[in-house]
Amino acid sequence: MGDRVRVRALDPEHHTRVPRYVRGQQGEIVHSHGAAPLPDDRARGIEPPRVETVHVVRFAARDLWGVGDHTVAVDLWESYLEPC
């Protein structure tokens, strides 16, 4: 926990669970839920889907939208992230 990560700036042709508002943004891993099937693979009919760790990544609202003193937490699969 506490690792700084950047969300990959993906724009795939297929389904993804990466919200646009966090793509390319830096955040901090604050919790890990454990492993779960990658929803991108499931939506594309890939069997078996890859199984990856799902992290809770916290972002400063000001970094996402330019205003706000609060934080936003998003569940993101391992392959959506890269180290800073």
Side-chain angles (χ1 to χ4, degrees):
M1 296 326 113
D3 291 344
R4 297 286 301 167
V5 293
R6 180 183 309 279
V7 181
R8 295 181 190 278
L10 307 169
D11 190 17
E13 295 288 325
H14 56 78
H15 169 82
T16 185
R17 296 286 298 186
V18 181
R20 285 195 189 278
Y21 61 87
V22 297
R23 295 177 192 179
Q25 298 294 323
Q26 289 185 37
E28 176 186 9
I29 295 175
V30 295
H31 181 73
S32 292
H33 291 297
L38 185 66
D40 303 46
D41 286 359
R42 283 209 162 149
R44 294 169 59 202
I46 296 173
E47 291 297 332
R50 290 173 283 176
V51 175
E52 299 179 357
T53 302
V54 181
H55 300 286
V56 179
V57 181
R58 181 174 56 206
F59 302 90
R62 184 174 307 282
D63 292 342
L64 299 177
W65 297 296
V67 296
D69 293 329
H70 61 287
T71 60
V72 176
V74 180
D75 290 345
L76 296 166
W77 274 254
E78 184 80 25
S79 62
Y80 300 157
L81 306 172
E82 58 190 17
C84 286

